[in-house]
Amino acid sequence: TSATAAAGMHLCDGIPPDVTVEMTGAASKTDRAHFWQTRRAFFVTPQVFENDMRRGHCPASRVICCVVDEAHKAARDHAYCTSLQELMHRSHDGFRVVALSATPGTDA
């Protein structure tokens, strides 16, 4: 959600602001395409990540780490799943995924 993206950005306030950006669906496609090329740390909604990955705006080869908050929601066709699948197809072998959840699964 937009709130989750904003909270993540706030928690990482040690990262210089000139290399970070929060992107939600409110940002234009043109602005987002520019940010993917000029920034280094991104705080985005799953839907923005999915859409920008599919459009080729997100430079998958430069992704080092993808942190997924609310990872317990990542099932089937959720934007988390589809965007990470796309990242795996377009990226290199060296990226990492960190999945966070404060909600235990049903089989925990």
Side-chain angles (χ1 to χ4, degrees):
T1 66
S2 298
T4 303
M9 191 165 175
H10 176 70
L11 290 173
C12 296
D13 62 357
I15 300 173
D18 61 328
V19 300
T20 64
V21 64
E22 175 189 347
M23 294 191 293
T24 66
S28 73
K29 294 174 194 171
T30 304
D31 285 346
R32 293 196 323 256
H34 171 74
F35 290 140
W36 284 116
Q37 297 303 318
T38 60
R39 303 295 174 99
R40 294 184 57 213
F42 305 91
F43 300 87
V44 300
T45 62
Q47 294 77 16
V48 164
F49 188 56
E50 176 184 39
N51 291 336
D52 289 355
M53 183 68 63
R54 285 188 176 163
R55 288 186 186 106
H57 294 309
C58 173
S61 63
R62 293 179 45 212
V63 174
I64 296 169
C65 181
C66 182
V67 178
V68 177
D69 195 12
E70 301 288 324
H72 58 277
K73 296 179 181 179
R76 293 175 289 287
D77 290 333
H78 190 282
Y80 284 145
C81 300
T82 56
S83 58
L84 287 173
Q85 288 171 348
E86 190 75 20
L87 181 61
M88 286 189 296
H89 291 325
R90 294 177 183 237
S91 189
H92 53 90
D93 292 336
F95 80 91
R96 301 289 183 257
V97 176
V98 177
L100 307 173
S101 180
T103 305
T106 56
D107 61 351

